[in-house]
Amino acid sequence: MDFKNMPQFWPAEIKTYHMETYDRILPSTTKFDAKGKTLLITAGATGIGYSICESFAKAGIARIIILQRRESVLAAAKEALAKAYPNTKVETYAASQSDFPRMTEIIHSAGNIDVLIPCATNASMKPTRDISTEQMANMYTVNVVGLFHIVREFLALPSTASGGPKSVIHVSSNASQMYFPGGSGYCSSKAAANQIITHFATDEPEGNVKFYSLHPGAIRTELAEANVPEGMVVWESVKVPGDFAVWLAGPEAEFLNGRFVWAQWDVDELIAMKKKLASDPSLLTITLAK
């Protein structure tokens, strides 16, 4: 299955699909003002999360806080980022997105956070009848309740001036739009998580925080290799979701507040949809097709 040849998965207005990064979203050209700002990301030491960290570091962000369970990958990520981007301070914490007290402790000790990116996920790809209740609960604990908890704690932080709205970028999956053998827990939990992000956006009308769900693309990560059969997808560049996330945190993307977008969609074609999106609150959300 080659997802890039399935145009029914995205709006007809999006004609250009980027499997590699491109000038318009490069951190050096984006309108995101990184000066003095802090990014906190879960699962940021490897794969898609690490690419996102790299892109924000290239944009000149002042501080990156990475949360991940494995100490070894955290140490390697910190060393690599510190060497390549000495002007960005990197902090790491060994923690799971499902450890709610630990998440609360880290978030509230971090001080100001400008960009929050929940990237951690849990997947158990088995026939539905073979998934244990514990496995299903674990997927929802990480993918749904864990997401809700860290966003809620982020919103509870004291307001500080940061030069524009803050951002929550939930790293989701196009699986939230699909069903396939073995995907009942993963697909349904990702759809629920997207709904939570849309509701956060709906319930924060003052505009101090913008909320987005992001499909990163068909990226060859450890999790993908373990769960995606060989030949099912055409793998795409991990730099695309990293660079797109920086663009999404900037002022050009504010009209996408509460929406679910794909990193590979051309940003100028998205911007051309601004009026249509303003007139149709359900577009680019998890809803029934009209």
Side-chain angles (χ1 to χ4, degrees):
M1 185 183 299
D2 180 352
F3 291 129
K4 78 181 182 65
N5 290 324
M6 291 187 172
Q8 69 269 29
F9 277 10
W10 57 81
E13 292 88 344
I14 305 297
K15 307 295 184 185
T16 307
Y17 186 100
H18 297 275
M19 296 181 69
E20 301 287 343
T21 196
Y22 54 107
D23 289 348
R24 190 66 173 76
I25 62 170
L26 292 177
S28 59
T29 62
T30 185
K31 295 184 180 180
F32 171 68
D33 180 9
K35 185 178 180 181
K37 292 185 177 177
T38 294
L39 160 68
L40 187 146
I41 180 170
T42 63
T46 58
I48 295 162
Y50 184 79
S51 179
I52 291 171
C53 290
E54 276 203 303
S55 293
F56 275 93
K58 289 175 184 176
I61 201 160
R63 183 170 63 137
I64 296 175
I65 303 171
I66 304 174
L67 282 59
Q68 192 136 340
R69 290 180 300 166
R70 292 178 289 169
E71 289 273 13
S72 59
V73 297
L74 281 169
K78 183 174 183 177
E79 181 180 0
L81 288 168
K83 182 177 180 180
Y85 310 100
N87 293 326
T88 297
K89 182 180 179 183
V90 180
E91 302 173 20
T92 60
Y93 296 89
S96 169
Q97 188 165 290
S98 62
D99 186 342
F100 305 145
R102 180 67 169 147
M103 290 294 107
T104 298
E105 176 189 5
I106 294 169
I107 289 170
H108 285 271
S109 67
N112 186 52
I113 300 170
D114 300 284
V115 182
L116 174 70
I117 302 186
C119 188
T121 193
N122 182 293
S124 183
M125 301 296 186
K126 297 180 180 180
T128 307
R129 67 183 296 165
D130 294 335
I131 299 174
S132 69
T133 301
E134 182 181 15
Q135 288 170 327
M136 184 66 78
N138 286 341
M139 281 186 274
Y140 272 78
T141 298
V142 175
N143 300 348
V144 182
V145 185
L147 166 73
F148 165 79
H149 180 77
I150 63 174
V151 174
R152 182 177 177 276
E153 294 303 305
F154 167 70
L155 294 176
L157 292 174
S159 297
T160 57
S162 61
K166 298 187 177 188
S167 301
V168 174
I169 302 172
H170 160 231
V171 178
S172 184
S173 170
N174 66 348
S176 64
Q177 302 171 282
M178 304 165 60
Y179 63 90
F180 50 78
S184 62
Y186 184 67
C187 295
S188 63
S189 62
K190 284 299 187 182
N194 287 2
Q195 274 275 350
I196 284 176
I197 291 297
T198 298
H199 280 86
F200 269 123
T202 300
D203 294 336
E204 294 286 328
E206 65 274 5
N208 294 329
V209 183
K210 302 298 181 183
F211 302 86
Y212 314 96
S213 286
L214 170 65
H215 168 53
I219 309 301
R220 195 166 197 158
T221 63
E222 292 179 20
L223 184 65
E225 286 190 326
N227 290 288
V228 178
E230 188 67 31
M232 183 178 178
V233 300
V234 176
W235 299 115
E236 299 161 349
S237 171
V238 73
K239 292 183 179 180
V240 177
D243 291 351
F244 189 89
V246 178
W247 178 83
L248 205 54
E252 285 189 305
E254 290 178 10
F255 72 99
L256 293 169
N257 183 36
R259 314 289 179 148
F260 172 54
V261 294
W262 290 32
Q264 293 72 28
W265 293 347
D266 184 80
V267 297
D268 288 315
E269 292 174 22
L270 269 173
I271 291 170
M273 293 179 62
K274 188 180 292 188
K275 288 184 178 179
K276 184 174 182 178
L277 287 164
S279 66
D280 186 354
S282 68
L283 189 58
L284 302 187
T285 64
I286 301 297
T287 186
L288 289 173
K290 295 182 178 179

